[in-house]
Amino acid sequence: MINVLLHTMLAVWFLESWPQVLMTLLVVFLLVFLWIQWKTGQQLKSELAMLAKIGKHNVEYEFVLDTMKLSIWHLDVKTGKLTFEQDFRDKGNKYFTNADGMEVDESVALLDPRDSERVGQSMADLCSGKKSSYHEIYRVTVPYAQTVYWEESYATVTQRDIDGHPTLIVGTTQRIDDRKSMEEALVQARNRAEESDRLKTAFVANMSHEIRTPLNAIVGFTSVLPDITDEEERKSLLDLIQENTQKLLRIVDDVVNISKIESGKEELVMTAFELNTLLLENMSRCEQSLQPGVGLDAQFAMDALTITTDLARLNEIMKHLLQNAAKFTQAGTVTVGYDKPVDGRITIWVRDTGKGIAEENLERIFERFYKVDEFIPGAGLGLSLCRVMAFSLGGNVTVESKLGEGSTFKVELPIQ
């Protein structure tokens, strides 16, 4: 009876209070739902902020790559496949594909043969774990263009297996043509500076010797001249003084001429004149310098030829070449001639039967102060001056010679 009463009372209470219970449950459910929504919102907000940050980093990442002109690549060590993620290289490599799955051996084969073995070995050491990083500068060949360009690469191991062996390598590559050009220019500038210092030293050493020799003769003979009463002896001394004075003037003139031409302070004076007449006049002046028994011949391709160039410079070139031939020819003949003009250019030559020049000295004789025979008088400036003057006229001076068989000096010039 009591149990029935209790059940009856509970049933009555439930029937009377179930709306309040339902309302309470609904409020609790709503509170839980709102809390879950708030947490989800906070998580989404955090993820959105992270995505924005990642996006910003990607933009900055690409901006840095683009600014530095870099390419990013990955190497799967197990498969040997090379993939390129980004390529912002200036003048990027368009001569071979950078497609995913490129074999690493294929990329090494594209390098210049002078660098491929070294770079390939460095890459192999990185893949085998002998090295943890890689840095190489190398040349890349451009197929069918016969040219190369320079690249610089860095790489490092980013993943390893459980045994510590590399499985993934990440690297960057940058094209550095401009930097290599700058380095080459700096090296050339340094070499020019060193060469300039060498030439200055050679100039002082040679000029002090070459100037002192005639100067000593002039001073010495002049000091004893007042004590000489014999007229013939006085005339002999005066001739020697005059000869050494001329030697001294020639040395100074050669130095001044080279200096003027290279500094650009002496302008070309182009005139038309008869070539045969110029050559014959120079031959006439040279005749007295020839050794006894040495002949002087002319072989002109034409009876008369008018050319247009700088008369003074060509005259100076011929004077030095003829003096040089007379100096080194003890027997035989010195021959002056020219070939018929071709395409507005002419070749004038001076051939001698002198001692000749060794093959290793054929270019060195055009260097300043270089002398094949130190016992032959001269400052070693004549041939250098000839070539400088020929260059200024748009031509060149070359030599063909064999030791003991004589020499042929050729002057090639534009004549119009």
Side-chain angles (χ1 to χ4, degrees):
M1 187 68 182
I2 294 173
N3 289 335
V4 172
L5 182 61
L6 287 173
H7 282 93
T8 303
M9 291 177 64
L10 286 172
V12 171
W13 175 84
F14 179 78
L15 289 174
E16 290 179 351
S17 60
W18 72 265
Q20 289 85 355
V21 172
L22 184 61
M23 184 64 69
T24 302
L25 292 174
L26 182 61
V27 170
V28 172
F29 174 77
L30 286 174
L31 289 173
V32 172
F33 177 77
L34 289 174
W35 181 81
I36 293 173
Q37 286 290 93
W38 178 79
K39 290 291 291 183
T40 303
Q42 289 295 106
Q43 185 177 355
L44 288 174
K45 187 176 179 180
S46 175
E47 290 176 353
L48 287 173
M50 187 176 295
L51 285 174
K53 190 174 181 180
I54 292 173
K56 181 182 177 182
H57 285 175
N58 283 338
V59 171
E60 293 174 350
Y61 170 73
E62 292 188 2
F63 174 73
V64 171
L65 293 179
D66 189 25
T67 302
M68 298 185 67
K69 307 301 181 185
L70 292 172
S71 68
I72 305 298
W73 49 267
H74 298 82
L75 173 61
D76 188 325
V77 178
K78 292 183 178 179
T79 62
K81 299 291 184 180
L82 187 68
T83 58
F84 287 80
E85 177 185 335
Q86 300 279 4
D87 192 351
F88 292 97
R89 285 175 293 177
D90 192 21
K91 308 171 186 175
N93 182 0
K94 299 178 181 178
Y95 301 101
F96 64 92
T97 177
N98 285 341
D100 291 352
M102 183 180 188
E103 296 286 345
V104 65
D105 292 338
E106 181 185 353
S107 68
V108 173
L110 293 167
L111 306 186
D112 188 277
R114 293 169 287 185
D115 303 318
S116 57
E117 183 176 353
R118 169 175 53 82
V119 175
Q121 184 61 49
S122 294
M123 186 65 76
D125 290 343
L126 189 64
C127 293
S128 64
K130 292 181 179 179
K131 293 181 179 179
S132 59
S133 62
Y134 156 102
H135 174 218
E136 291 291 343
I137 297 175
Y138 49 84
R139 287 154 286 198
V140 182
T141 58
V142 180
Y144 315 113
Q146 303 298 320
T147 59
V148 297
Y149 63 86
W150 286 90
E151 282 190 345
E152 182 176 23
S153 289
Y154 292 87
T156 188
V157 177
T158 57
Q159 289 184 14
R160 297 177 183 270
D161 59 19
I162 57 175
D163 296 322
H165 299 138
T167 58
L168 183 64
I169 294 170
V170 176
T172 66
T173 299
Q174 183 179 29
R175 188 162 173 171
I176 57 170
D177 295 300
D178 294 339
R179 193 179 88 191
K180 295 301 291 186
S181 298
M182 187 180 299
E183 289 176 1
E184 185 177 352
L186 289 173
V187 169
Q188 291 176 354
R190 183 197 65 191
N191 291 340
R192 285 196 297 269
E194 291 175 352
E195 179 66 9
S196 177
D197 288 340
R198 188 189 70 81
L199 289 175
K200 287 176 183 177
T201 304
F203 175 81
V204 172
N206 283 277
M207 292 304 292
S208 62
H209 171 72
E210 296 299 333
I211 290 177
R212 187 184 297 115
T213 302
L215 206 55
N216 286 340
I218 294 170
V219 173
F221 293 144
T222 303
S223 64
V224 300
L225 191 60
D227 300 328
I228 303 298
T229 56
D230 184 74
E231 287 300 320
E232 189 165 338
E233 191 174 353
R234 283 176 63 87
K235 184 179 182 304
S236 177
L237 287 177
L238 288 170
D239 289 341
L240 288 172
I241 291 171
Q242 178 66 20
E243 180 183 345
N244 282 278
T245 301
Q246 293 301 317
K247 287 181 180 178
L248 186 59
L249 286 174
R250 279 198 298 270
I251 293 171
V252 174
D253 284 343
D254 288 347
V255 173
V256 170
N257 286 332
I258 291 177
S259 177
K260 283 182 178 180
I261 292 171
E262 292 192 339
S263 65
K265 292 182 179 179
E266 188 173 20
E267 296 182 357
L268 294 175
V269 180
M270 310 301 285
T271 56
F273 57 89
E274 217 286 313
L275 179 61
N276 292 22
T277 302
L278 172 74
L279 297 180
L280 289 171
E281 289 175 353
N282 277 276
M283 291 172 65
S284 178
R285 286 193 294 269
C286 173
E287 198 166 6
Q288 59 186 353
S289 302
L290 295 172
Q291 301 291 332
V294 176
L296 185 61
D297 291 338
Q299 293 183 7
F300 301 156
M302 302 174 68
D303 295 333
L305 176 63
T306 299
I307 67 173
T308 299
T309 187
D310 190 305
L311 173 62
R313 296 194 183 187
L314 179 56
N315 194 58
E316 192 74 16
I317 292 171
M318 296 310 302
K319 181 186 77 172
H320 279 285
L321 292 183
L322 281 165
Q323 287 177 350
N324 206 55
K327 189 188 302 182
F328 290 97
T329 305
Q330 303 298 321
T333 307
V334 174
T335 307
V336 180
Y338 63 85
D339 303 326
K340 286 186 177 182
V342 177
D343 297 329
R345 300 181 74 86
I346 192 171
T347 301
I348 308 168
W349 43 266
V350 177
R351 181 179 299 125
D352 64 63
T353 57
K355 61 195 300 183
I357 306 165
E359 184 177 355
E360 63 269 18
N361 292 325
L362 290 179
E363 277 301 311
R364 293 200 66 191
I365 59 174
F366 293 101
E367 296 177 9
R368 296 174 194 177
F369 308 114
Y370 180 77
K371 297 171 66 174
V372 176
D373 190 343
E374 291 292 336
F375 297 100
I376 300 294
L381 286 171
L383 290 176
S384 177
L385 176 62
C386 289
R387 178 166 277 188
V388 169
M389 286 188 167
F391 283 163
S392 71
L393 296 173
N396 195 9
V397 176
T398 57
V399 62
E400 296 174 0
S401 181
K402 287 187 178 180
L403 198 60
E405 298 182 13
S407 306
T408 301
F409 286 85
K410 296 181 178 181
V411 185
E412 182 190 357
L413 295 173
I415 58 173
Q416 294 179 354

